[in-house]
Amino acid sequence: MQKIWYKNAIFYSLDVETFMDSDGDGIGDFQGLTKCLDHLSGLGITCLWLLPFYSSPNRDNGYDVMDYYNVDPRLGTLGDFVQFIHQASDRGIRVLVDLVVNHTSNQHPWFQQARSDKHSKYHDYYVWSENPPKTKPEQIIFSGVEDSLWEYDEQANAYYLHHFYKEQPDLNIANPAVREEIYKIMGFWLQLGVSGFRIDAAPFLINPLGIPDCPDLETFLKDMREFITSRRGDAILFAEANVSSDKIPVYFGNGNRCQMLFNFLLNQYMFLALARKDSQTLLDGLKSLPDIPDIGQWLNFVRHHDELNLDLISDSQREEIFQAFAPEKNMQIFGKGVRRRLPPMLKGDKRRIELTYSLLFSLPGIPLLRYGEEIGMGEDLSLEGRNSVRTVMQWSDALNGGFSTASSDVLTRPVIKEGEYGYKQVNVADQQRDRNSLINWMEHIIRIRKQCPEFGSGKWQIIETDQPCVFAHCCELEGESAIALHNLGDRSCTVTLKSDEYNHLIDIFGDSQYEPLDVNLPSIPIEAYGYRWFRVR
């Protein structure tokens, strides 16, 4: 198979604003992030995905962009960004940035001109209506926060379309001038050294809702791909598309659109399987995925910067996850999501935490870690909405968790101070001194995962077992095979693989030091919430 860099990358996601403050103003910045690159390199990260760092009023965590061609002054300068890209490249770390072009901020100069002058070219950059259609409840993303997709603007004397907050008017992607602007934005950041883009809210980018005489906007993904390839041959697009299985092929095309998609569907089935302690549920999730082009790849994740979205499964299945991992209403959000990080969801059970990440690193595709996952950070449910999982990075037991020397009351986001997930209990410095810590376990599994390209690039198949709680699968690439077993149950057991192909197995990773397997005995012991990776001799 053609060697493609993202096929076996180790992704890491962070918000510059909450990662490391270099100048003591309480806000993370690019100089601080640059100083932390050795931490990421030592962990084994090969690709960074940065959340929006553009100029913004910050109504929506920076996703309300006010200037696509600059860095938010609070986070540094373009010079700081270029220095960061250079230092990351020196460490073999690629950088992807968010492409937020479904909407802008209502403070963007384009929108300000659009609302003040109907004859301005920027008026048609947005979607307007004097008599908009009634919004259906299922169309609202932020249920309980917004009640319509249309907002009246007195200066324009018309309603504008917004799929997200009313401060984020949708761009009119059907307008060729808007698409040309998007190419310029991509070209600018490619020229500064990024390796591609994460397309924010991809379904809404190609959704013709509210756009009259709309062409086939799906072809825009193909055009975007052609553009970035013409500027940088190894650049990629990966889409945030939380859609049902039948709609996924739209984003991959025949290999000529996005190269990568978040695996939202498998993520939801994985949590359902963990709640049920049942391997068949995880198998159902894998089987529900469509075939993707050879050049395509899945990006698997446990958590990211938004809620754990559970809208692709049934109401009863969602309730099972709520009962297991978010039983209190304050732990839930928008009626269909969980606003928690993983360790508190699993009540700090080290076995279950490691099991979940072992699944992440071995399921077909590549893994994404979010900042703080390497040390098992928790959430702060006293914060509003999604901010519960957006607290600042915990580096040490020093003031503010080592994130900033500023007074704690001016931090861009609070640091978790109290409880078992407070920064004095959970931080990088302490864990690096503890051989049995989560961060050292993460470094180990990443090192092993890099030695198993089969999981990222190989063909996978399920291995039947005699234990319903044990999920077993094999990935094969160029004659080499790797197998992973995961016991989702709370009792140890002995597993028999229902195939003669896997008699000669060599342990390469596991939850404990198991006895070597007897080639004459087909049974494999595995502890409660245990995991074992093997090479097939």
Side-chain angles (χ1 to χ4, degrees):
M1 170 180 282
Q2 179 186 1
K3 302 298 181 183
I4 304 173
W5 71 264
Y6 56 86
K7 277 287 190 173
N8 277 288
I10 307 294
F11 273 57
Y12 189 98
S13 168
L14 63 87
D15 187 342
V16 178
E17 185 176 354
T18 58
F19 202 61
M20 174 58 83
D21 170 22
S22 70
D23 57 9
D25 65 354
I27 302 170
D29 47 50
F30 274 105
Q31 290 189 21
L33 172 56
T34 303
K35 293 177 181 178
C36 296
L37 284 172
D38 286 332
H39 164 77
L40 299 172
S41 177
L43 191 59
I45 302 306
T46 62
C47 186
L48 277 179
W49 156 38
L50 302 184
L51 271 64
F53 50 81
Y54 315 106
S55 297
S56 167
N58 271 305
R59 171 65 178 90
D60 183 21
N61 201 44
Y63 282 91
D64 46 333
V65 178
M66 200 163 60
D67 182 356
Y68 289 104
Y69 298 102
N70 218 330
V71 172
D72 187 324
R74 301 175 310 140
L75 311 183
T77 66
L78 280 175
D80 294 330
F81 177 84
V82 171
Q83 177 66 5
F84 153 71
I85 290 287
H86 173 71
Q87 292 291 333
S89 178
D90 278 355
R91 291 162 177 79
I93 299 175
R94 293 173 180 265
V95 178
L96 304 181
V97 301
D98 258 357
L99 186 66
V100 189
V101 289
N102 159 252
H103 52 257
T104 71
S105 165
N106 61 357
Q107 301 302 309
H108 196 292
W110 296 345
F111 187 74
Q112 291 299 311
Q113 293 190 52
R115 66 196 292 259
S116 61
D117 182 3
K118 289 188 176 181
H119 301 291
S120 164
K121 73 170 186 176
Y122 295 109
H123 188 78
D124 290 334
Y125 272 38
Y126 298 89
V127 184
W128 301 92
S129 175
E130 294 183 359
N131 295 291
K134 186 176 180 180
T135 299
K136 300 176 182 178
E138 63 269 18
Q139 294 175 324
I140 298 174
I141 304 297
F142 299 136
S143 176
V145 179
E146 299 290 350
D147 56 11
S148 174
L149 297 184
W150 297 90
E151 181 71 13
Y152 182 72
D153 183 84
E154 291 186 0
Q155 190 169 356
N157 193 28
Y159 293 84
Y160 62 84
L161 178 68
H162 65 93
H163 277 94
F164 294 85
Y165 293 114
K166 60 179 177 289
E167 292 88 355
Q168 296 167 298
D170 280 18
L171 284 166
N172 179 10
I173 308 299
N175 182 348
V178 171
R179 296 200 292 273
E180 286 299 320
E181 290 279 4
I182 293 172
Y183 298 144
K184 290 177 185 177
I185 294 166
M186 292 192 296
F188 179 82
W189 294 104
L190 287 170
Q191 197 68 27
L192 293 184
V194 305
S195 291
F197 304 91
R198 175 251 194 197
I199 304 176
D200 176 61
F204 304 102
L205 188 67
I206 62 175
N207 187 340
L209 175 65
I211 303 178
D213 303 321
C214 182
D216 180 10
L217 288 180
E218 294 172 9
T219 61
F220 184 40
L221 295 175
K222 175 177 174 289
D223 296 340
M224 292 169 69
R225 168 72 176 280
E226 289 178 352
F227 177 85
I228 67 167
T229 301
S230 71
R231 293 295 181 93
R232 177 168 177 167
D234 62 350
I236 69 168
L237 295 173
F238 76 102
E240 180 201 26
N242 183 27
V243 296
S244 57
S245 181
D246 60 305
K247 296 179 181 178
I248 287 173
V250 167
Y251 300 91
F252 283 113
N254 60 8
N256 62 348
R257 295 181 184 177
C258 298
Q259 291 101 321
M260 188 183 302
L261 258 70
F262 283 97
N263 206 339
F264 282 101
L265 190 60
L266 185 59
N267 176 260
Q268 297 177 41
Y269 273 96
M270 180 180 74
F271 274 97
L272 184 61
L274 292 171
R276 291 175 170 176
K277 301 180 172 64
D278 170 54
S279 65
Q280 182 62 45
T281 303
L282 190 53
L283 173 57
D284 292 342
L286 272 174
K287 286 185 174 180
S288 68
L289 298 175
D291 292 333
I292 63 176
D294 287 341
I295 201 171
Q297 183 58 294
W298 293 110
L299 186 63
N300 296 318
F301 60 98
V302 170
R303 293 291 289 105
H304 54 62
H305 62 293
D306 290 337
E307 70 277 7
L308 169 61
N309 200 324
L310 303 171
D311 63 347
L312 296 178
I313 55 179
S314 69
D315 291 346
S316 62
Q317 291 171 330
R318 186 182 309 120
E319 191 58 35
E320 287 184 66
I321 295 176
F322 282 161
Q323 288 302 314
F325 304 128
E328 300 174 18
K329 282 295 182 182
N330 189 39
M331 299 172 177
Q332 304 166 19
I333 187 171
F334 303 137
K336 54 182 172 53
V338 175
R339 63 185 205 106
R340 308 190 72 191
R341 281 190 180 247
L342 182 73
M345 290 170 67
L346 300 180
K347 300 178 181 178
D349 190 330
K350 185 173 182 287
R351 301 171 303 165
R352 300 183 74 186
I353 294 169
E354 289 184 1
L355 169 75
T356 306
Y357 284 111
S358 178
L359 277 170
L360 172 69
F361 279 90
S362 60
L363 286 170
I366 60 172
L368 165 71
L369 287 176
R370 183 170 181 251
Y371 80 93
E373 285 191 287
E374 69 268 38
I375 56 174
M377 277 177 57
E379 76 271 347
D380 183 349
L381 293 174
S382 70
L383 300 177
E384 184 179 353
R386 293 165 161 177
N387 287 339
S388 59
V389 295
R390 295 173 176 174
T391 55
V392 299
M393 181 65 176
Q394 297 170 193
W395 293 102
S396 70
D397 62 2
L399 175 70
N400 300 322
F403 163 75
S404 174
T405 58
S407 172
S408 59
D409 60 348
V410 300
L411 296 185
T412 182
R413 295 278 165 72
V415 62
I416 298 176
K417 297 179 181 179
E418 307 298 333
E420 61 183 305
Y421 297 102
Y423 67 83
K424 290 186 180 295
Q425 284 69 43
V426 178
N427 63 72
V428 173
D430 285 351
Q431 289 198 17
Q432 286 181 331
R433 294 191 293 267
D434 179 2
R435 291 184 178 182
N436 298 315
S437 67
L438 183 60
I439 197 171
N440 281 309
W441 183 89
M442 283 286 188
E443 289 180 10
H444 186 195
I445 195 173
I446 289 172
R447 184 167 63 251
I448 298 298
R449 174 61 179 77
K450 288 180 175 179
Q451 298 171 24
C452 299
E454 297 90 341
F455 289 132
S457 300
K459 298 294 183 182
W460 64 269
Q461 63 178 359
I462 299 300
I463 305 173
E464 292 187 27
T465 77
D466 60 348
Q467 296 289 343
C469 60
V470 176
F471 177 75
H473 74 290
C474 175
C475 293
E476 188 273 335
L477 177 69
E478 297 176 352
E480 299 289 334
S481 298
I483 287 177
L485 272 64
H486 291 86
N487 182 4
L488 308 185
D490 55 7
R491 295 182 181 181
S492 61
C493 62
T494 300
V495 185
T496 299
L497 305 183
K498 297 182 178 180
S499 174
D500 295 332
E501 298 179 38
Y502 311 116
N503 288 336
H504 300 281
L505 302 180
I506 303 172
D507 270 293
I508 55 175
F509 184 66
D511 61 289
S512 64
Q513 197 71 30
Y514 291 94
E515 291 292 327
L517 294 177
D518 186 336
V519 296
N520 298 314
L521 296 175
S523 57
I524 303 173
I526 186 168
E527 295 293 328
Y529 303 124
Y531 48 89
R532 299 185 70 172
W533 295 12
F534 300 96
R535 278 245 174 252
V536 181
R537 185 178 300 169

